Amino acid sequence: MTEQSFVIGVPKEIKNNENRVALTPGGATTLIMAGHKVLVEAGAGAGSGFSDEDYAKEGAVLVAEAAEVWARSDMIMKVKEPLPAEYGYFREGQLLFTYLHLAAAGDLADHLLNKKVTGVAYETIQLPNGSLPLLTPMSEVAGRMSVQIGAHFLEKFYGGRGILLGGVPGVPPANVVILGGGIVGTNAAKMALGLGANVAIIERSADRMRALDDIFGGRLNTLMSNPFNIASAVAKADLLIGAVLIPGARAPRLVTEAMVKTMKPGAVIVDVAVDQGGSIETIDRVTTHSSPTYETHGVVHYAVANMPGAVPRTSTLALTNVTLPYALELANKGLTEAITANYALQLGVNTYKGSITHPAVAEALGMPYVKLSDLS
């Protein structure tokens, strides 16, 4: 082992029912073997099934208080964006590596800028082919969960229409409408079709619609995204899933309140894009796992921003698989060298030296955009 040169801190997540942890014990092993020190807040991995002893066996240092983890670490690894209770831990030059979703979090952005924290967001690290490698596994989880959740809340006891997603012989299945044919939408379609639902995906790219038609062998309907098609499909939907993402930007509002008013009483909306502001106009608040839904115009709205936190074991393992190589690069090289060598990682830098350094985030927040190269 080389001399320890970088301290990585893993605090316990404090968002409502967020049971994921940013680093598995195996991930800690990789960082420690590379010569770095890993601090883990006591109990951080418990929700994902990893005990303090699991981390200690791998050489991680257990720390009792979150404040100490933040104070002693060169880089903080988290799952979800810091909450107001954590803002006091920020300090100048600190490196924060997590999902930030700043387009819908102006207050957090202000605190990061005021403290000159370097915020590297999982969700805006982007490969040359346009893919988002650190968002993909959670999008897969959330897409699949959206159908499970929708089927659950369609039950009468939970305020739904009282219908079975796949129907039964002699009774038609539910209509599932998915806004967006990306990773979330594709995985939602897999689950919905598997349960026997009638599925339509609304997508703006003709090429993507052709690909979806090939993937699913014509078993789902594809519709070009425009106000007329969206309105027509929404009116027929038993379950409407919002699956639209523009990297770093606020989600576009595609479904108006007037469209929601045309939906059947007891229909269900699950908006996976709520952490980027939501793509349905009546998604006007973020809900939690402990109180996940509300009703507007007779329609059940599910707007939990950390859906994968409900399946933390799967989510934590999938997340560490993709974040660890980037964390190792940041720890081995430091920020400047790492982002110089890896342009995909450079796109992850949202805040640096008190400025917004991602154009889509700056536009969403109405703040000036400053190129990273101008801050070197």
Side-chain angles (χ1 to χ4, degrees):
M1 182 186 295
T2 60
E3 183 181 355
Q4 290 180 337
S5 57
F6 208 75
V7 181
I8 299 99
V10 182
K12 185 177 181 179
E13 299 295 321
I14 63 171
K15 196 177 185 79
N16 180 282
N17 279 292
E18 180 51 75
N19 291 298
R20 288 173 290 180
V21 62
L23 193 67
T24 63
T29 302
T30 299
L31 290 166
I32 291 166
M33 290 182 67
H36 308 297
K37 186 173 185 178
V38 176
L39 307 181
V40 178
E41 183 182 352
S48 295
F50 300 116
S51 68
D52 289 346
E53 291 73 20
D54 292 333
Y55 288 99
K57 286 177 185 176
E58 302 305 325
V61 177
L62 276 299
V63 178
E65 301 292 336
E68 185 179 354
V69 175
W70 285 80
R72 292 174 57 186
S73 300
D74 299 307
M75 177 171 68
I76 293 291
M77 288 187 69
K78 289 183 86 284
V79 177
K80 292 302 292 179
E81 73 285 348
L83 298 183
E86 297 169 301
Y87 293 173
Y89 301 142
F90 294 170
R91 68 177 190 274
E92 185 170 347
Q94 189 172 51
L95 178 55
L96 175 63
F97 190 37
T98 187
Y99 288 118
L100 284 174
H101 297 293
L102 291 182
D107 185 53
L108 171 59
D110 287 340
H111 281 82
L112 292 172
L113 296 177
N114 289 339
K115 289 291 187 178
K116 296 185 178 179
V117 174
T118 299
V120 181
Y122 295 162
E123 73 275 7
T124 63
I125 292 174
Q126 190 168 13
L127 298 176
N129 65 2
S131 64
L132 304 167
L134 274 60
L135 192 61
T136 294
M138 295 304 96
S139 295
E140 291 168 338
V141 171
R144 295 179 184 216
M145 284 187 68
S146 67
V147 175
Q148 291 183 189
I149 289 163
H152 179 70
F153 285 104
L154 277 170
E155 295 176 18
K156 190 68 175 177
F157 180 80
Y158 298 103
R161 298 194 64 220
I163 61 175
L164 186 66
L165 209 63
V168 293
V171 180
N175 292 318
V176 176
V177 174
I178 302 167
L179 297 171
I183 300 297
V184 172
T186 301
N187 279 273
K190 287 178 182 178
M191 294 293 284
L193 288 169
L195 290 171
N198 181 35
V199 180
I201 288 184
I202 299 175
E203 170 58 46
R204 67 178 181 175
S205 166
D207 287 341
R208 184 60 187 164
M209 284 191 286
R210 292 186 188 98
L212 289 167
D213 192 64
D214 286 341
I215 290 169
F216 293 107
R219 292 186 296 134
L220 54 70
N221 300 312
T222 54
L223 297 169
M224 177 58 72
S225 181
N226 59 54
F228 178 82
N229 283 343
I230 293 172
S232 298
V234 166
K236 299 172 185 175
D238 298 300
L239 171 59
L240 174 64
I241 296 172
V244 179
L245 174 74
I246 301 173
R250 196 195 185 288
R253 288 287 175 89
L254 299 178
V255 176
T256 66
E257 184 170 4
M259 293 178 190
V260 173
K261 287 180 179 179
T262 70
M263 295 180 74
K264 306 162 191 172
V268 174
I269 294 172
V270 177
D271 198 344
V272 181
V274 67
D275 51 10
Q276 290 287 118
S279 55
I280 289 100
E281 190 174 11
T282 48
I283 295 288
D284 56 7
R285 73 201 79 165
V286 175
T287 61
T288 65
H289 287 294
S290 59
S291 182
T293 64
Y294 61 91
E295 186 178 304
T296 299
H297 303 309
V299 177
V300 178
H301 290 59
Y302 178 98
V304 175
N306 60 326
M307 289 171 60
V311 286
R313 183 75 178 191
T314 296
S315 298
T316 291
L317 290 166
L319 184 61
T320 296
N321 286 344
V322 293
T323 58
L324 186 59
Y326 292 94
L328 192 61
E329 195 164 358
L330 287 166
N332 286 344
K333 298 178 180 178
L335 178 76
T336 301
E337 186 180 340
I339 64 175
T340 300
N342 188 335
Y343 183 67
L345 184 57
Q346 185 178 137
L347 293 175
V349 182
N350 284 199
T351 63
Y352 184 61
K353 293 184 178 179
S355 296
I356 297 288
T357 54
H358 192 286
V361 172
E363 182 178 359
L365 295 174
M367 293 181 176
Y369 160 61
V370 180
K371 291 183 179 180
L372 266 175
S373 57
D374 293 342
L375 296 171
S376 300

